[in-house]
Amino acid sequence: MSPKYNKFNKGKTKGYFPINKWICDTSKHPVITSTSKCASSTPKALFSQQESQMLIGLSNTLQCSERDAVRIALYEASKSASNAYESAFMYATAMSTEKGHQGRSSSKQWNLPKGEQIAATNAANELGITGAEFVRLSIIWLQQGIRKDEIRSIQNCKIISGDKAAHQWSKENHGKPASEQVASLKKALNEAQQLINYMDEIQADERDARKKESR
Protein backbone atom coordinates (compact mmCIF):
# COMPACT_ATOMS: atom_id res chain seq x y z
CA MET A 1 0.00 0.00 0.00
CA SER A 2 1.21 3.46 -0.92
CA PRO A 3 2.75 5.33 2.07
CA LYS A 4 0.44 8.33 1.63
CA TYR A 5 -2.51 6.19 2.71
CA ASN A 6 -0.83 4.73 5.80
CA LYS A 7 -2.15 7.46 8.10
CA PHE A 8 -5.58 5.91 7.79
CA ASN A 9 -4.39 2.46 8.89
CA LYS A 10 -2.64 3.10 12.18
CA GLY A 11 -3.93 1.97 15.55
CA LYS A 12 -6.68 -0.37 16.69
CA THR A 13 -9.63 1.80 15.75
CA LYS A 14 -8.58 2.50 12.18
CA GLY A 15 -7.32 -1.04 11.69
CA TYR A 16 -10.78 -2.41 12.49
CA PHE A 17 -12.73 0.40 10.80
CA PRO A 18 -14.39 -1.17 7.71
CA ILE A 19 -15.17 2.08 5.86
CA ASN A 20 -11.85 3.66 4.95
CA LYS A 21 -13.14 6.78 3.21
CA TRP A 22 -14.07 10.42 3.42
CA ILE A 23 -17.65 11.37 4.25
CA CYS A 24 -19.52 14.56 3.38
CA ASP A 25 -22.92 15.63 4.67
CA THR A 26 -24.49 17.11 1.53
CA SER A 27 -27.96 17.64 2.98
CA LYS A 28 -27.54 21.44 2.74
CA HIS A 29 -25.89 21.55 -0.67
CA PRO A 30 -27.79 23.74 -3.19
CA VAL A 31 -28.31 20.73 -5.44
CA ILE A 32 -29.96 18.74 -2.67
CA THR A 33 -32.09 21.59 -1.33
CA SER A 34 -33.19 22.66 -4.82
CA THR A 35 -36.88 22.25 -5.60
CA SER A 36 -36.38 22.55 -9.35
CA LYS A 37 -37.66 19.63 -11.40
CA CYS A 38 -35.16 17.47 -13.23
CA ALA A 39 -36.56 18.17 -16.68
CA SER A 40 -33.28 18.26 -18.64
CA SER A 41 -30.46 15.77 -18.99
CA THR A 42 -26.71 15.54 -19.25
CA PRO A 43 -25.09 14.50 -22.53
CA LYS A 44 -24.54 10.77 -22.85
CA ALA A 45 -21.03 10.02 -21.68
CA LEU A 46 -18.96 6.87 -21.93
CA PHE A 47 -17.15 5.55 -18.86
CA SER A 48 -14.49 2.93 -18.28
CA GLN A 49 -14.90 0.36 -15.53
CA GLN A 50 -12.52 2.28 -13.26
CA GLU A 51 -14.37 5.55 -13.89
CA SER A 52 -17.66 3.88 -12.99
CA GLN A 53 -16.03 2.73 -9.74
CA MET A 54 -14.92 6.30 -9.10
CA LEU A 55 -18.54 7.44 -9.44
CA ILE A 56 -19.63 4.80 -6.93
CA GLY A 57 -16.94 6.04 -4.55
CA LEU A 58 -18.06 9.65 -5.00
CA SER A 59 -21.68 8.73 -4.34
CA ASN A 60 -20.63 6.96 -1.14
CA THR A 61 -18.55 9.93 0.00
CA LEU A 62 -21.33 12.42 -0.66
CA GLN A 63 -23.89 10.01 0.87
CA CYS A 64 -26.42 10.52 -1.89
CA SER A 65 -27.75 8.85 -5.01
CA GLU A 66 -25.61 8.50 -8.12
CA ARG A 67 -27.62 11.16 -9.94
CA ASP A 68 -27.27 13.67 -7.10
CA ALA A 69 -23.53 12.91 -6.88
CA VAL A 70 -23.23 13.76 -10.59
CA ARG A 71 -25.30 16.92 -10.12
CA ILE A 72 -23.07 18.03 -7.22
CA ALA A 73 -19.94 17.28 -9.26
CA LEU A 74 -21.25 19.31 -12.21
CA TYR A 75 -22.29 22.17 -9.91
CA GLU A 76 -18.88 22.34 -8.23
CA ALA A 77 -16.89 21.90 -11.44
CA SER A 78 -18.94 24.61 -13.17
CA LYS A 79 -17.79 27.05 -10.48
CA SER A 80 -14.14 25.92 -10.67
CA ALA A 81 -13.92 24.99 -14.34
CA SER A 82 -10.31 26.08 -14.88
CA ASN A 83 -9.02 24.21 -11.81
CA ALA A 84 -11.01 21.12 -12.74
CA TYR A 85 -9.66 21.25 -16.29
CA GLU A 86 -6.03 21.57 -15.20
CA SER A 87 -6.34 18.75 -12.68
CA ALA A 88 -8.36 16.16 -14.53
CA PHE A 89 -8.84 16.80 -18.26
CA MET A 90 -5.99 14.49 -19.16
CA TYR A 91 -8.10 11.69 -17.68
CA ALA A 92 -11.52 12.88 -18.88
CA THR A 93 -10.70 13.63 -22.53
CA ALA A 94 -12.16 11.31 -25.15
CA MET A 95 -8.60 10.73 -26.38
CA SER A 96 -7.16 9.85 -22.96
CA THR A 97 -4.33 7.35 -22.91
CA GLU A 98 -4.12 7.31 -19.11
CA LYS A 99 -4.30 3.99 -17.28
CA GLY A 100 -7.87 3.26 -16.18
CA HIS A 101 -9.36 5.86 -18.53
CA GLN A 102 -9.34 3.88 -21.76
CA GLY A 103 -11.70 1.30 -23.22
CA ARG A 104 -14.86 3.18 -22.27
CA SER A 105 -17.94 1.08 -22.99
CA SER A 106 -20.51 2.02 -20.33
CA SER A 107 -22.89 4.78 -21.49
CA LYS A 108 -24.52 6.91 -18.79
CA GLN A 109 -26.91 9.86 -18.73
CA TRP A 110 -28.71 11.61 -15.86
CA ASN A 111 -31.67 13.96 -15.51
CA LEU A 112 -31.09 17.32 -13.87
CA PRO A 113 -32.77 20.75 -13.63
CA LYS A 114 -32.54 23.03 -16.68
CA GLY A 115 -30.48 25.64 -14.80
CA GLU A 116 -27.83 23.08 -13.82
CA GLN A 117 -27.71 21.75 -17.37
CA ILE A 118 -27.18 25.26 -18.78
CA ALA A 119 -24.40 26.01 -16.26
CA ALA A 120 -22.59 22.78 -17.17
CA THR A 121 -22.98 23.44 -20.90
CA ASN A 122 -21.63 26.97 -20.53
CA ALA A 123 -18.64 25.72 -18.52
CA ALA A 124 -17.88 23.06 -21.16
CA ASN A 125 -18.10 25.66 -23.94
CA GLU A 126 -15.77 28.03 -22.09
CA LEU A 127 -13.23 25.23 -21.72
CA GLY A 128 -13.64 24.21 -25.36
CA ILE A 129 -14.54 20.60 -24.55
CA THR A 130 -17.58 18.44 -25.23
CA GLY A 131 -20.45 18.06 -22.79
CA ALA A 132 -19.61 14.38 -22.29
CA GLU A 133 -16.00 15.26 -21.45
CA PHE A 134 -17.20 17.84 -18.92
CA VAL A 135 -19.40 15.24 -17.22
CA ARG A 136 -16.43 12.87 -16.85
CA LEU A 137 -14.16 15.77 -15.88
CA SER A 138 -16.49 16.86 -13.07
CA ILE A 139 -16.76 13.38 -11.56
CA ILE A 140 -13.05 12.58 -11.81
CA TRP A 141 -11.96 15.99 -10.51
CA LEU A 142 -14.24 15.96 -7.46
CA GLN A 143 -13.60 12.32 -6.57
CA GLN A 144 -9.81 12.62 -6.89
CA GLY A 145 -9.74 16.04 -5.24
CA ILE A 146 -11.51 14.75 -2.13
CA ARG A 147 -9.50 11.54 -1.94
CA LYS A 148 -6.17 13.37 -2.34
CA ASP A 149 -7.21 15.99 0.23
CA GLU A 150 -7.00 18.76 -2.39
CA ILE A 151 -10.71 19.55 -2.01
CA ARG A 152 -11.67 19.88 1.65
CA SER A 153 -15.11 21.45 1.39
CA ILE A 154 -17.89 21.99 -1.11
CA GLN A 155 -20.83 24.41 -1.14
CA ASN A 156 -22.53 24.45 2.30
CA CYS A 157 -20.90 21.13 3.19
CA LYS A 158 -17.91 19.95 5.18
CA ILE A 159 -15.87 16.90 4.28
CA ILE A 160 -15.12 14.61 7.22
CA SER A 161 -11.75 12.86 7.13
CA GLY A 162 -11.26 9.11 7.36
CA ASP A 163 -9.81 9.54 10.86
CA LYS A 164 -12.86 11.30 12.25
CA ALA A 165 -15.22 8.89 10.55
CA ALA A 166 -13.28 5.95 12.00
CA HIS A 167 -13.58 7.27 15.55
CA GLN A 168 -17.30 7.92 15.08
CA TRP A 169 -17.84 4.41 13.71
CA SER A 170 -15.85 2.91 16.59
CA LYS A 171 -17.92 4.85 19.13
CA GLU A 172 -21.19 3.67 17.60
CA ASN A 173 -20.06 0.05 17.36
CA HIS A 174 -18.11 -0.27 20.64
CA GLY A 175 -18.46 -3.75 22.12
CA LYS A 176 -20.20 -5.19 19.07
CA PRO A 177 -18.64 -8.35 17.60
CA ALA A 178 -17.31 -8.21 14.04
CA SER A 179 -19.92 -9.66 11.69
CA GLU A 180 -19.45 -11.65 8.50
CA GLN A 181 -20.80 -8.68 6.56
CA VAL A 182 -18.17 -6.38 8.07
CA ALA A 183 -15.39 -8.85 7.28
CA SER A 184 -16.54 -9.11 3.65
CA LEU A 185 -16.78 -5.34 3.40
CA LYS A 186 -13.27 -4.89 4.78
CA LYS A 187 -11.92 -7.35 2.21
CA ALA A 188 -13.76 -5.68 -0.70
CA LEU A 189 -12.66 -2.20 0.35
CA ASN A 190 -9.08 -3.34 0.81
CA GLU A 191 -9.05 -4.75 -2.73
CA ALA A 192 -10.57 -1.55 -4.09
CA GLN A 193 -7.97 0.55 -2.23
CA GLN A 194 -5.17 -1.56 -3.67
CA LEU A 195 -6.56 -0.94 -7.17
CA ILE A 196 -6.72 2.82 -6.52
CA ASN A 197 -3.15 2.83 -5.20
CA TYR A 198 -1.97 0.88 -8.24
CA MET A 199 -3.67 3.37 -10.58
CA ASP A 200 -2.07 6.28 -8.71
CA GLU A 201 1.38 4.73 -9.05
CA ILE A 202 0.88 4.05 -12.77
CA GLN A 203 -0.26 7.62 -13.36
CA ALA A 204 2.72 8.98 -11.39
CA ASP A 205 5.12 6.88 -13.45
CA GLU A 206 3.52 8.10 -16.69
CA ARG A 207 3.79 11.74 -15.58
CA ASP A 208 7.46 11.25 -14.66
CA ALA A 209 8.09 9.66 -18.07
CA ARG A 210 6.46 12.59 -19.87
CA LYS A 211 8.54 15.09 -17.87
CA LYS A 212 11.75 13.30 -18.84
CA GLU A 213 10.73 13.26 -22.53
CA SER A 214 10.04 17.02 -22.48
CA ARG A 215 13.48 17.87 -21.11
Side-chain angles (χ1 to χ4, degrees):
M1 185 171 287
S2 178
K4 61 183 174 182
Y5 292 99
N6 288 345
K7 63 178 180 179
F8 298 111
N9 295 290
K10 295 177 182 177
K12 275 190 174 181
T13 297
K14 302 181 193 68
Y16 182 68
F17 183 48
I19 307 176
N20 183 11
K21 64 180 182 180
W22 291 256
I23 296 174
C24 184
D25 178 5
T26 56
S27 60
K28 295 182 180 179
H29 191 279
V31 159
I32 303 300
T33 59
S34 172
T35 57
S36 299
K37 293 184 178 180
C38 294
S40 299
S41 61
T42 64
K44 286 185 179 179
L46 290 175
F47 292 82
S48 67
Q49 182 179 354
Q50 290 87 344
E51 288 168 344
S52 294
Q53 290 174 342
M54 292 178 74
L55 177 54
I56 292 172
L58 182 61
S59 179
N60 289 337
T61 295
L62 301 180
Q63 302 183 89
C64 61
S65 67
E66 180 179 282
R67 183 183 68 178
D68 284 344
V70 172
R71 289 176 61 200
I72 290 173
L74 289 171
Y75 181 97
E76 296 296 323
S78 294
K79 295 192 307 172
S80 304
S82 296
N83 290 336
Y85 182 89
E86 292 176 7
S87 299
F89 184 67
M90 63 187 295
Y91 309 116
T93 175
M95 306 301 291
S96 179
T97 58
E98 299 295 324
K99 187 79 171 181
H101 299 278
Q102 303 175 49
R104 296 176 174 127
S105 59
S106 176
S107 177
K108 296 177 181 289
Q109 186 176 36
W110 298 271
N111 293 331
L112 72 171
K114 182 68 175 178
E116 294 175 21
Q117 187 269 332
I118 291 175
T121 299
N122 288 342
N125 289 339
E126 287 176 7
L127 294 173
I129 64 178
T130 67
E133 286 175 325
F134 188 72
V135 172
R136 282 194 300 269
L137 173 71
S138 302
I139 294 168
I140 295 170
W141 168 72
L142 188 58
Q143 196 272 348
Q144 285 189 340
I146 292 174
R147 183 165 54 82
K148 294 179 179 179
D149 202 30
E150 294 171 352
I151 298 175
R152 299 182 181 181
S153 65
I154 59 178
Q155 187 74 36
N156 295 346
C157 308
K158 184 177 180 181
I159 298 170
I160 303 171
S161 70
D163 282 340
K164 187 172 181 180
H167 285 299
Q168 180 63 31
W169 183 90
S170 178
K171 182 179 179 181
E172 293 174 354
N173 291 272
H174 179 69
K176 295 180 181 180
S179 65
E180 246 180 77
Q181 184 180 12
V182 168
S184 298
L185 180 58
K186 285 180 69 177
K187 180 180 178 182
L189 287 170
N190 182 56
E191 291 173 351
Q193 187 68 64
Q194 289 178 355
L195 173 61
I196 290 170
N197 292 343
Y198 172 73
M199 289 171 60
D200 280 348
E201 290 170 1
I202 291 295
Q203 290 168 1
D205 290 343
E206 290 176 346
R207 285 193 294 270
D208 289 342
R210 283 194 296 270
K211 286 180 181 179
K212 290 179 180 178
E213 289 175 0
S214 64
R215 291 175 182 173

